[in-house]
Amino acid sequence: MKILKRTILFAICIISPVLAMAQIGVSAKKPKDAQQLFDGSRKMLDQKWTYWEGPRLKAEPPIKWEIVKDPVNKGTAMNSNDPAAAGGLYGAADIVTKEEFRDFRLHVEFLIQEAGGNSGVYLQNRYEIQILDGDYGDHGLAAIINEHIPTVQAYNGLGKWNAYDINFKAARFKDGKLVEKARVTIYFNGKKIHEDKSISQVWGGPNSGQDGGNDGGKGITDRPGGIKLQAEGHNVLYRNIWIKSLDLGEKGTDF
């Protein structure tokens, strides 16, 4: 019996890191204490998302992002190719969660259908994590836009599902003044590509996201923000999006 107990304990010690990593990458399951933001259904899209009312908004509700058949697996996904954003008019038909967040752990899965496909995941409707086929650089795929290049090229390629797993810490303020920049750690398809990186500003101007028009994007405010997905007139699909609110306090974002 003692030998059996030791064997079970040893097996748990070996397997536990694998169980932890199972929450990272394509098809990662939502933890029990996390919230599903998109499950493939029209109902959840309408329930939890809305058009972002930025200065360039051209779309009108209901959301025109179509629910389509998953081209790889069973189930459904949503297509970011909103007609109002044709020609790459970002900010014209972007969607954002109705709920706003501060610190969080986020999981997003996306699939780019054609060469050059472009979209983006915005943290707090401020900081863009780029989605762009065929480009690697500070404005390319998996970049913290214009600031940090991913340390590993982990893209699964066109027509395949990819996943971002993100730990985000909101900017900190004291007496209304910024005292600590936002920070983020990101895994791309299970590989760590950004470790506890600071983010300086909102890029792209007022049409890009919250605070984009404040001091050239450097005037970050203390307001929380939603998760935003960008429409750029391309067939980029999304599925299995979930989030867990955190309180990182004085901690960094590495996980």
Side-chain angles (χ1 to χ4, degrees), residues 168-200:
F168 174 80
K169 182 179 180 181
R172 292 328 201 224
F173 292 77
K174 185 175 182 180
D175 299 326
K177 294 184 179 181
L178 179 70
V179 294
E180 183 184 347
K181 295 177 181 179
R183 305 193 71 85
V184 67
T185 293
I186 302 175
Y187 287 79
F188 186 18
N189 293 326
K191 297 179 180 179
K192 188 183 290 185
I193 59 169
H194 299 292
E195 183 174 328
D196 201 32
K197 297 292 187 180
S198 65
I199 314 177
S200 297

Side-chain angles (χ1 to χ4, degrees), residues 11-22:
I12 291 172
C13 291
I14 295 298
I15 293 172
S16 56
V18 177
L19 294 176
M21 289 302 291

Side-chain angles (χ1 to χ4, degrees), residues 205-219:
N207 294 317
S208 183
Q210 183 169 281
D211 295 335
N214 298 343
D215 189 22
K218 296 179 181 178

Side-chain angles (χ1 to χ4, degrees), residues 31-213:
K32 290 182 179 179
D33 54 355
Q35 172 190 175
Q36 195 79 44
L37 291 177
F38 182 65
D39 62 358
S41 71
R42 181 79 220 184
K43 180 179 179 181
M44 187 168 286
L45 174 59
D46 290 333
Q47 177 187 22
K48 298 196 175 186
W49 301 78
T50 187
Y51 282 123
W52 174 52
E53 295 183 3
R56 192 187 267 174
L57 177 65
K58 292 179 62 179
E60 295 182 359
I63 294 171
K64 303 302 187 297
W65 293 34
E66 292 185 354
I67 302 298
V68 298
K69 184 179 179 180
D70 187 327
V72 176
N73 307 113
K74 294 180 180 179
T76 52
M78 60 178 167
N79 188 343
S80 65
N81 194 0
D82 192 298
L89 202 63
Y90 66 87
D94 299 348
I95 63 171
V96 64
T97 56
K98 296 176 182 178
E99 185 174 349
E100 297 184 330
F101 304 92
R102 292 191 183 276
D103 303 348
F104 54 80
R105 159 80 162 89
L106 175 68
H107 176 87
V108 178
E109 297 185 20
F110 65 91
L111 181 150
I112 306 174
Q113 290 195 301
E114 292 111 13
N118 193 353
S119 183
V121 178
Y122 282 72
L123 314 179
Q124 282 198 320
N125 192 9
R126 288 188 176 95
Y127 314 107
E128 183 183 3
I129 311 305
Q130 177 70 291
I131 294 176
L132 178 58
D133 174 71
D135 191 3
Y136 180 79
D138 64 6
H139 197 79
L141 183 65
I144 302 171
I145 202 81
N146 294 332
E147 297 197 30
H148 301 290
I149 299 172
T151 56
V152 178
Q153 297 187 48
Y155 183 36
N156 285 334
L158 285 174
K160 298 180 180 180
W161 284 105
N162 297 270
Y164 288 153
D165 287 283
I166 299 168
N167 252 22
F168 174 80
K169 182 179 180 181
R172 292 328 201 224
F173 292 77
K174 185 175 182 180
D175 299 326
K177 294 184 179 181
L178 179 70
V179 294
E180 183 184 347
K181 295 177 181 179
R183 305 193 71 85
V184 67
T185 293
I186 302 175
Y187 287 79
F188 186 18
N189 293 326
K191 297 179 180 179
K192 188 183 290 185
I193 59 169
H194 299 292
E195 183 174 328
D196 201 32
K197 297 292 187 180
S198 65
I199 314 177
S200 297
Q201 68 176 85
V202 179
W203 296 90
N207 294 317
S208 183
Q210 183 169 281
D211 295 335

